[in-house]
Amino acid sequence: MSQEASSPQTAAPSSAPAAPAVRKRKRSAVFKRVRRNWDLYLLILPVLVFFLVFEYFPMYGVQIAFKNFIATKGIWGSPWVGFKHFERFFESYYFWRLLTNTLGIGLYQLVVGFPVPIILALMINEVRSKKFSKFVQTVTYAPHFLSTVVLVGMVFIFLSPQTGLLNMAVTWFRGEPVNFLTDPGWFKSVYVLSGVWQQMGWSSIIYLAALTGIDPQLHEAARVDGASRWQRILHINLPGIMPTVTILLILNMGSLLGVGFEKVYLMQNSLNMQASDVISTHVYQKGIIDGQYSYSAAVGLFNSVINFILLLTVNRIARKVSSTSLW
């Protein structure tokens, strides 16, 4: 009994000096790996510097959302006010309109815009003619390289009540011209559908890359078993790209309330303000134009926190439902 009782006490001193030695060996291994792959680490260094300078260092300014920011006193010298700006936003007349419009556009964009690149990639993958396939890819990729200003200008031209192609087709069938750009009921559809047209080709690239990674022997075996093309798409291609679909769905859900500012602001006018006023434009109006920096920082922080919660929630659901998740 005495030997058994003393064995843990004698083992403790021998294991204590081993811990620094293990840590030293790990550090040595890390240094050797860095020295051996120094060119790869040098290649990634500009990306790390970019994120540190433009993404992480500016985060210290988030504290002005909890302060009454005074420019002459600076961020650290401004007095704390707690959640005053958040309460002002939650109790404001615009809160529910901003939240409804932002969430509505985000969900609309997710429901309509997310499946289209998947369908397009599956269709391009089934095209037998390589020349026609490359032609379709080029045509669908091209709109991605248009700037937001050019895209909105094209939307204005095509949807003009007098000279727009769509309204000309409407009047051809003896209908009344529709002013799509001033009617609040059409704003979300115009915004989302124009975005789908611009981004569907570019977004399909990653799905096409995932489709090329599917083993061709699976299709050969399915053909031998008499499976049709639709059955092979349904039971081979879709399951093959499902991990990619899950990851991109998680990322899209993480930016559900991150409706872009530029396009909304360019399409916005006093007549469609009821449907086009979103959180990003409200932050711009209050922060840049009105100079209410603390209030606009609080609104922007609220938006980011909600997106972060959505990202965590969807990632956890995806991890439980399937084995694919961000972490």
Side-chain angles (χ1 to χ4, degrees):
M1 292 296 292
S2 60
Q3 294 178 354
E4 293 178 358
S6 62
S7 59
Q9 298 177 358
T10 57
S14 61
S15 62
V22 171
R23 288 196 295 266
K24 186 176 180 179
R25 284 198 299 268
K26 288 182 178 180
R27 286 197 297 266
S28 178
V30 170
F31 291 148
K32 288 181 180 179
R33 187 165 60 249
V34 172
R35 194 183 305 113
R36 184 171 58 251
N37 302 307
W38 66 269
D39 50 347
L40 299 179
Y41 287 99
L42 184 63
L43 188 64
I44 202 175
L45 182 61
V47 179
L48 294 177
V49 172
F50 172 83
F51 277 97
L52 288 174
V53 173
F54 295 103
E55 300 292 340
Y56 286 95
F57 288 161
M59 289 178 65
Y60 85 97
V62 172
Q63 61 183 300
I64 69 173
F66 306 94
K67 290 187 171 187
N68 185 19
F69 177 69
I70 302 174
T72 55
K73 295 184 178 181
I75 295 177
W76 295 106
S78 300
W80 291 93
V81 294
F83 292 94
K84 174 183 177 181
H85 302 297
F86 293 93
E87 294 173 357
R88 174 189 167 190
F89 176 58
F90 297 151
E91 296 172 359
S92 66
Y93 167 78
Y94 300 101
F95 173 72
W96 287 111
R97 187 175 80 174
L98 293 171
L99 188 61
T100 302
N101 290 340
T102 307
L103 188 61
I105 293 176
L107 288 174
Y108 194 170
Q109 202 165 10
L110 183 68
V111 172
V112 177
F114 186 75
V116 170
I118 302 174
I119 298 171
L120 178 62
L122 293 172
M123 293 173 64
I124 293 176
N125 187 64
E126 295 300 319
V127 174
R128 295 180 179 179
S129 174
K130 296 299 181 183
K131 291 184 178 180
F132 182 71
S133 175
K134 291 180 180 179
F135 172 76
V136 172
Q137 291 181 48
T138 303
V139 171
T140 54
Y141 294 171
H144 169 77
F145 300 98
L146 296 175
S147 67
T148 305
V149 177
V150 173
L151 175 66
V152 174
M154 293 173 62
V155 171
F156 281 13
I157 294 173
F158 292 151
L159 300 183
S160 173
Q162 292 79 26
T163 59
L165 294 177
L166 191 58
N167 274 308
M168 290 177 65
V170 171
T171 55
W172 177 268
F173 291 100
R174 301 182 182 277
E176 292 294 330
V178 180
N179 200 335
F180 295 97
L181 300 175
T182 59
D183 187 352
W186 282 101
F187 179 83
K188 291 182 177 64
S189 297
V190 173
Y191 178 89
V192 172
L193 295 179
S194 61
V196 171
W197 171 77
Q198 184 183 22
Q199 299 296 338
M200 64 178 182
W202 184 260
S203 300
S204 66
I205 294 177
I206 190 168
Y207 298 114
L208 287 170
L211 286 169
T212 59
I214 297 176
D215 190 355
Q217 294 181 358
L218 295 175
H219 287 278
E220 294 176 3
R223 291 192 192 95
V224 172
D225 292 339
S228 63
R229 177 174 293 188
W230 170 252
Q231 289 174 330
R232 286 188 281 113
I233 292 174
L234 192 62
H235 298 288
I236 298 177
N237 289 346
L238 275 178
I241 65 173
M242 195 54 63
T244 304
V245 173
T246 303
I247 293 297
L248 293 179
L249 178 62
I250 294 172
L251 294 175
N252 278 271
M253 286 297 297
S255 59
L256 188 65
L257 293 181
V259 178
F261 161 77
E262 297 88 354
K263 188 177 176 183
V264 175
Y265 187 73
L266 291 170
M267 295 177 61
Q268 192 177 78
N269 54 61
S270 58
L271 297 177
N272 63 19
M273 186 67 71
Q274 182 180 353
S276 63
D277 196 14
V278 295
I279 292 178
S280 58
T281 57
H282 186 69
V283 170
Y284 171 77
Q285 176 69 36
K286 297 298 182 182
I288 304 299
I289 298 180
D290 296 344
Q292 302 178 24
Y293 303 114
S294 294
Y295 173 75
S296 61
V299 177
L301 182 59
F302 164 78
N303 190 19
S304 300
V305 169
I306 297 299
N307 283 329
F308 184 65
I309 293 174
L310 288 173
L311 179 65
L312 294 178
T313 303
V314 177
N315 184 77
R316 185 169 184 177
I317 294 173
R319 189 171 65 249
K320 288 186 176 181
V321 174
S322 63
S323 58
T324 304
S325 61
L326 290 176
W327 63 84

